[in-house]
Amino acid sequence: MKLVRKDLEKDNAGQVTLIPEEPEDMWHTYNLLQVGDSLRASTIRKVQTESSTGSVGSNRVRTTLTLCVETIDFDSQACQLRVKGTNIQENEYVKMGAYHTIELEPNRQFTLAKKQWDSVVLERIEQACDPAWSADVAAVVMQEGLAHVCLVTPSMTLTRAKVEVNIPRKRKGNCSQHDRALERFYEQVVQAIQRHINFEVVKCVLVASPGFVREQFCDYMFQQAVKTDNKLLLENRSKFLQVHSSSGHKYALKEALCDPAVTSRLSDTKAAGEVKALDDFYKMLQHEPDRAFYGLKHVEKANEAMAIDTLLISDELFRHQDVATRSRYVKLVDSVRENMGTVRIFSSLHVSGEQLGQLTGVAAILRFPVAELSDQEDESSSEED
């Protein structure tokens, strides 16, 4: 993401002009947009024209519109963003108050104006404009007959390819059908890796599976690479890292990212940091439940006691349409930072973010046990009943 211009007033009202440069920037843009914001961007509008003879024709014209945002639609697989709203600025082709849908595209600048730019949104702009936050991890999660080729970016886990091949069982004295099907499966996975993984950017490719599937696959891949003199795979052999996972499904990627060998290799990536924070939370919940809280009310009470060491919060909560609810989450984040706590904002498109979402989307690891909070909560709720 490229920041072209930033005009903010003292009361944090103002506008920012940005150019999304990569598909992932569309995800950042989606998280910046809120209902009620004004968005100015170039778009195409179908315009009806009437000639002097009275015949009516229509043609498409490119024009720049300023919309008051009403609905935001994001396609995570195609990384496309459509914003619908009403026109709030005079235009020769579009009447004031008329509805229009702008499709935001990479490499085309837009200007976003808000009445209030909060700390979470401004931090996201900083992250999006920082080139160090680009995708640098790929993963192949596999089991016999099923594989997922994923790209792990700082903000999301993208499934680039799913390979499914029916593999017959080994029969007594005849394994040829099984072996042929397995070879066909491995070949398709190799093709998916070559098609979807950019080795110029990716630092590490995780190959995760149960049992010995990963070893057999890597042996096959590099034997074929030597036979066919595939320089792309041979030159990047050191980037492949074999780790254990319980299955070939996408959710098993979290286990692979938790592996100590992986975390040391990916120590500088945000994805590994998120996974470790969530892992620490689960360990704390298991061994010292009085130091692991989740749910907004419980976490807010812990924050009042200045007990939060690490706050884990999903970016999905900042997309809440109710301004009061959203500002409640922003205040929580600001307060934890003021009290010298660490804040980790998880992406809801990440496997770790999906898991945090199942825990209400907000959780905290505490500096010291705060046992009586849960009791107070129970007493107050029973009084309300």
Side-chain angles (χ1 to χ4, degrees):
M1 187 91 84
K2 188 178 177 184
L3 179 64
V4 179
R5 193 169 172 180
K6 187 175 173 183
D7 299 317
L8 297 185
E9 306 293 330
K10 283 182 182 175
D11 60 351
N12 271 356
Q15 60 182 36
V16 169
T17 303
L18 298 159
I19 301 175
E21 294 174 316
E22 296 169 18
E24 193 182 339
D25 291 339
M26 305 313 294
W27 168 248
H28 289 302
T29 307
Y30 173 55
N31 281 284
L32 296 175
L33 285 164
Q34 283 173 266
V35 172
D37 292 348
S38 83
L39 175 71
R40 183 174 174 80
S42 173
T43 183
I44 290 172
R45 178 85 175 185
K46 197 174 182 181
V47 178
Q48 285 196 332
T49 52
E50 192 174 332
S51 67
S52 54
T53 57
S55 61
V56 177
S58 67
N59 60 332
R60 290 155 70 84
V61 293
R62 182 165 284 284
T63 182
T64 301
L65 289 180
T66 306
L67 301 184
C68 177
V69 177
E70 284 192 14
T71 57
I72 307 149
D73 180 36
F74 180 68
D75 179 354
S76 61
Q77 288 306 313
C79 283
Q80 286 182 333
L81 184 59
R82 294 166 67 84
V83 183
K84 184 183 175 186
T86 51
N87 183 32
I88 54 170
Q89 212 168 55
E90 284 290 342
N91 185 284
E92 61 175 303
Y93 303 111
V94 186
K95 283 189 262 181
M96 290 280 283
Y99 277 93
H100 185 78
T101 301
I102 291 178
E103 194 165 304
L104 291 176
E105 301 166 347
N107 301 313
R108 185 159 281 150
Q109 84 171 35
F110 65 88
T111 301
L112 180 64
K114 287 177 183 283
K115 289 171 185 164
Q116 175 76 33
W117 288 85
D118 58 54
S119 59
V120 173
V121 177
L122 293 171
E123 185 188 15
R124 185 170 276 277
I125 290 176
E126 276 179 41
Q127 290 175 1
C129 297
D130 181 359
W133 285 64
S134 55
D136 51 7
V137 185
V140 183
V141 195
M142 64 196 307
Q143 64 190 47
E144 275 199 6
L146 174 69
H148 287 83
V149 178
C150 306
L151 289 180
V152 185
T153 74
S155 303
M156 56 178 110
T157 307
L158 290 170
T159 305
R160 278 284 168 243
K162 183 182 179 183
V163 179
E164 275 186 291
V165 173
N166 187 27
I167 297 180
R169 287 184 180 179
K170 287 183 179 178
R171 300 194 181 278
K172 202 171 181 182
N174 181 17
C175 299
S176 59
Q177 273 188 311
H178 173 271
D179 292 346
R180 274 204 303 272
L182 203 57
E183 199 170 303
R184 195 167 70 249
F185 168 62
Y186 288 161
E187 182 54 40
Q188 286 183 25
V189 177
V190 172
Q191 285 174 6
I193 287 172
Q194 290 179 234
R195 193 178 306 121
H196 297 291
I197 295 176
N198 179 2
F199 285 99
E200 288 177 19
V201 178
V202 168
K203 287 181 187 173
C204 176
V205 183
L206 307 179
V207 183
S209 79
F212 297 102
V213 178
R214 56 188 180 276
E215 284 99 334
Q216 290 164 0
F217 167 69
C218 287
D219 290 346
Y220 170 84
M221 177 168 60
F222 292 117
Q223 280 169 14
Q224 291 299 110
V226 170
K227 275 184 195 173
T228 57
D229 193 27
N230 187 325
K231 289 195 174 85
L232 180 72
L233 291 175
L234 293 173
E235 285 171 8
N236 291 287
R237 187 170 187 160
S238 60
K239 290 184 180 179
F240 284 83
L241 184 63
Q242 296 177 27
V243 287
H244 172 78
S245 71
S246 58
S247 76
H249 293 278
K250 184 184 165 183
Y251 66 79
L253 182 58
K254 180 186 171 287
E255 301 164 29
L257 290 168
C258 279
D259 191 289
V262 177
T263 47
S264 63
R265 188 95 167 249
L266 312 179
S267 55
D268 57 337
T269 69
K270 179 175 179 274
E274 283 182 2
V275 170
K276 187 182 180 302
L278 193 62
D279 202 38
D280 289 346
F281 173 78
Y282 279 125
K283 280 178 187 166
M284 194 66 81
L285 194 62
Q286 196 174 356
H287 301 298
E288 289 184 72
D290 288 343
R291 284 183 59 200
F293 278 32
Y294 63 91
L296 182 58
K297 278 187 183 175
H298 282 69
V299 171
E300 280 182 328
K301 286 272 175 73
N303 184 47
E304 283 168 23
M306 293 189 184
I308 296 178
D309 183 41
T310 307
L311 177 71
L312 288 62
I313 189 163
S314 170
D315 62 9
E316 199 168 14
L317 302 176
F318 300 113
R319 294 199 295 274
H320 206 288
Q321 298 304 342
D322 180 35
V323 178
T325 308
R326 189 182 190 283
S327 62
R328 197 172 159 188
Y329 291 119
V330 174
K331 274 180 194 163
L332 177 64
V333 168
D334 291 344
S335 175
V336 170
R337 283 188 175 139
E338 279 168 21
N339 296 330
M340 306 306 287
T342 306
V343 176
R344 287 205 170 273
I345 298 175
F346 284 60
S347 168
S348 54
L349 283 191
H350 235 293
V351 278
S352 53
E354 285 169 17
Q355 283 201 310
L356 184 62
Q358 290 164 7
L359 289 170
T360 72
V362 60
I365 300 169
L366 309 189
R367 295 186 175 107
F368 47 83
V370 187
E372 66 276 5
L373 284 184
S374 51
D375 304 333
Q376 285 174 4
E377 197 71 40
D378 293 341
E379 283 167 26
S380 62
S381 61
S382 60
E383 281 168 23
E384 283 168 20
D385 294 341

